[in-house]
Amino acid sequence: LVLNKQIAVNFQKQKLPHWQIYFQDSSPQSKPGLMFLLACYQRGYGRVTSSGSLIKPQLLSLRMSSSASVSPYAAKRIDGLSKNIWVEYGALAVKHQAVNLGQGFPDFHAPEHVRRSLAESTTSDKGRTLNQYTRSQGHPRLVNALSKLYTPHYGRTVDPLSEIVVTVGGYGSLFYAIQAFINPGDEVVMVEPFFDCYDPMVRMAGGTPKGVALKPKDGVAKSSADLVLDTAELEAAFTDKTKMFIFNTPHNPTGKIFSRAELEQIAALCIKHDVLCLSDEVYEWLVYKDSPAHTRIAALPGMQDRTLTVGSAGKTFSVTGWKLGWTVGPAPLIKCMSSVHGQAMYTCPTPIQEAVAAGLEHEMSLIGTPECYFTSLAEELRPKRDWLANALSEIGMTPIIPEGGYFMIADTSPLNLELKDDGRLDDVRFVYWLTEEKGIATIPTSPFYTPEHAHFAKKMIRLCFCKEDETLKKAAAKLKEWKDSLSS
């Protein structure tokens, strides 16, 4: 196919298992050509520079399985959304029986009282009602517990019935918020790297994602605190089309905790441009003692009426499989999200909501003590964080020490590892190599960026350390084996 204004149409119509696309020009200037290249990148079939030119412009080989063909009945809003990194890299880890330091789920038990509460909610006398539907916007016991938990942090009383909506995981909250407020043509400013679902959710709603990347202060980052937003770039990202700002603190994948000064800068721009703020705070309790405190942007002056704050039972209690989350915000905004929720899920599983409510009540009674899981989990994970950082340093990588969360970014460039260029981004090729050849599964970070900024991640990978010591010991053995092979 020679690049021309029909190429996008041809790309959609053809259903071949293998593609070879030849370009007459290494720097196509036409809009259809640029859009095609970006579409290729978004589907993971090639590499694109910020200017839109292919790194290998003369030949781009697109390999597509026949089963990947999109149905002719598919709605345009899901175009390009079929690829999921968690499915891809989870399957890769299983295929090679690798130690999984990629996906962000603990492989240890949740608190015993939380698990017991779930069992009791289905088997006790209360189970006659708890096994049935509950209130759509949130189980009464749960929203009351959430109100009690968050009221001190916001400096105002959080109304449990009008200012909270319970969702299917933090994912559900993000999806509802974006669907409820983003119209076609709206722009959404997002801090990069971002959790990978932000971008497709915005696109599905017809919005335009605009990324502003965290960059190393003074060119070097030893800690996530060294990753900062460029003030000029951040200000330039806001326009009269901007409808929403999305960010995550504590941050996945870097572990950065945004300082109060940084939050005040973001707040000032949101207020100036009359923009909604979607604050993803699912790792709110995972803050290490050697890190600054977590500040909620909704509590800053002028932000109460424009901020939606996302929380997660999965991250709070290490029960990611329960898929329960919530959003706290002003009643008018929560009402809009509840409208989406009511027509999508209607309600969330009652027994799980009951168990999470009981868990929150129990932990609130322990706040300020070493036994409180809100703080004890971070203390349990801190030595695992430090072990992983040391292990990565010994092998030759440069880890960025996270202030919060349970992920760590590592720079692989000091390894000077030469891998065959097969058209995929460097971080993707490295993760495949590390999984296939060394038996250690990680995650590339380029999917956490917009196509324009993916080059920032070309040597960076993400690792997860919320694992049993036994899992980390297996990873240590594989890293040692690798290290020994380098010196032999």
Side-chain angles (χ1 to χ4, degrees):
L1 297 176
V2 176
L3 182 64
N4 57 52
K5 62 185 177 181
Q6 289 296 319
I7 197 166
V9 175
N10 292 335
F11 178 75
Q12 294 295 332
K13 287 183 177 179
Q14 298 295 324
K15 294 182 175 63
L16 302 177
H18 180 77
W19 286 65
Q20 287 189 328
I21 288 50
Y22 294 85
F23 296 96
Q24 293 178 316
D25 189 310
S26 64
S27 301
Q29 300 300 316
S30 67
K31 184 176 179 181
L34 178 58
M35 294 304 294
F36 174 72
L37 295 181
L38 292 179
C40 289
Y41 177 85
Q42 289 162 3
R43 288 165 173 79
Y45 303 140
R47 297 190 294 163
V48 182
T49 67
S50 58
S51 66
S53 303
L54 285 171
I55 291 175
K56 286 195 171 181
Q58 284 69 35
L59 172 63
L60 174 64
S61 180
L62 308 187
R63 302 185 183 276
M64 301 169 59
S65 66
S66 300
S67 61
S69 299
V70 177
S71 167
Y73 302 104
K76 291 182 180 179
R77 62 180 167 271
I78 67 166
D79 183 41
L81 304 184
S82 61
K83 191 170 184 179
N84 185 296
I85 63 170
W86 314 115
V87 174
E88 178 181 356
Y89 293 99
L92 183 68
V94 171
K95 178 180 179 181
H96 295 280
Q97 298 182 322
V99 178
N100 196 342
L101 300 184
Q103 286 182 276
F105 59 85
D107 62 0
F108 46 79
H109 264 312
E112 192 274 335
H113 71 87
V114 176
R115 291 179 281 130
R116 185 178 64 247
S117 293
L118 180 59
E120 291 176 352
S121 71
T122 61
T123 59
S124 68
D125 288 341
K126 291 182 179 179
R128 286 175 295 177
T129 56
L130 294 177
N131 286 316
Q132 310 307 323
Y133 296 132
T134 188
R135 177 176 172 272
S136 175
Q137 292 90 342
H139 187 52
R141 185 177 179 183
L142 177 55
V143 294
N144 277 289
L146 291 169
S147 171
K148 183 178 179 181
L149 176 64
Y150 287 118
T151 286
H153 296 285
Y154 289 106
R156 65 178 182 85
T157 300
V158 175
D159 189 308
L161 300 181
S162 66
E163 295 185 319
I164 298 172
V165 60
V166 177
T167 60
V168 179
Y171 251 74
S173 285
L174 294 166
F175 183 77
Y176 293 165
I178 292 167
Q179 285 293 317
F181 299 108
I182 300 305
N183 292 311
D186 287 341
E187 293 180 351
V188 178
V189 178
M190 307 183 301
V191 172
E192 296 174 300
F194 45 68
F195 189 51
D196 71 299
C197 71
Y198 297 177
D199 183 278
M201 285 183 181
V202 169
R203 294 182 188 278
M204 189 184 297
T208 301
K210 295 183 68 175
V212 181
L214 289 166
K215 299 176 183 178
K217 183 170 52 179
D218 302 323
V220 179
K222 295 182 178 180
S223 161
S224 59
D226 298 327
L227 299 171
V228 297
L229 294 171
D230 181 274
T231 299
E233 290 180 3
L234 181 62
E235 291 177 348
F238 284 77
T239 71
D240 57 359
K241 293 182 179 180
T242 306
K243 184 71 171 292
M244 180 180 284
F245 179 84
I246 307 177
F247 78 119
N248 178 208
T249 183
H251 185 253
N252 174 13
T254 69
K256 176 181 175 63
I257 296 176
F258 284 78
S259 68
R260 186 178 181 92
E262 290 172 311
L263 295 177
E264 288 174 343
Q265 180 185 32
I266 292 169
L269 288 169
C270 288
I271 294 168
K272 177 181 177 180
H273 294 275
D274 193 20
V275 168
L276 296 175
C277 179
L278 182 55
S279 183
D280 181 354
E281 301 182 21
V282 295
Y283 300 100
E284 59 191 313
W285 305 113
L286 283 168
V287 176
Y288 300 105
K289 282 189 174 180
D290 53 2
S291 304
H294 168 56
T295 300
R296 290 167 169 79
I297 194 170
L300 297 185
M303 293 302 289
Q304 173 182 320
D305 293 334
R306 66 178 67 251
T307 303
L308 293 163
T309 304
V310 177
S312 165
K315 303 303 188 293
T316 298
F317 287 127
S318 304
V319 287
T320 59
W322 289 16
K323 290 300 292 181
L324 196 74
W326 49 80
T327 303
V328 179
L333 300 184
I334 292 297
K335 184 177 181 179
C336 295
M337 287 184 62
S338 297
S339 296
V340 181
H341 173 63
Q343 303 305 322
M345 295 292 102
Y346 173 65
T347 190
C348 297
T350 310
I352 294 177
Q353 294 192 68
E354 176 77 7
V356 172
L360 291 174
E361 291 165 359
H362 178 82
E363 295 302 333
M364 281 189 280
S365 72
L366 298 175
I367 288 177
T369 71
E371 292 76 26
C372 181
Y373 198 71
F374 295 158
T375 50
S376 68
L377 178 59
E379 281 303 291
E380 180 182 341
L381 292 177
R382 185 159 58 133
K384 299 175 188 287
R385 177 199 69 172
D386 297 342
W387 171 85
L388 180 60
N390 290 333
L392 294 174
S393 296
E394 287 181 2
I395 203 70
M397 298 188 211
T398 303
I400 298 177
I401 310 301
E403 301 162 281
Y406 44 53
F407 300 109
M408 184 180 296
I409 294 293
D411 183 357
T412 66
S413 55
L415 295 173
N416 295 317
L417 192 65
E418 295 293 333
L419 298 175
K420 182 180 179 181
D421 189 348
D422 58 6
R424 294 177 297 179
L425 290 171
D426 291 356
D427 64 323
V428 173
R429 287 185 288 132
F430 180 86
V431 166
Y432 265 82
W433 175 84
L434 189 62
T435 306
E436 295 170 346
E437 301 298 328
K438 301 303 178 183
I440 302 172
T442 61
I443 295 289
T445 57
S446 55
F448 299 102
Y449 287 83
T450 56
E452 296 83 357
H453 296 154
H455 59 282
F456 291 141
K458 66 179 183 179
K459 295 294 184 180
M460 309 296 284
I461 62 172
R462 190 195 81 167
L463 302 97
C464 177
F465 53 87
C466 60
K467 305 296 181 181
E468 287 273 19
D469 288 342
E470 187 61 32
T471 302
L472 296 178
K473 287 179 182 177
K474 291 178 181 178
K478 291 183 177 293
L479 287 170
K480 184 179 185 303
E481 182 181 340
W482 181 13
K483 181 183 178 182
D484 292 344
S485 70
L486 293 174
S487 58
S488 61

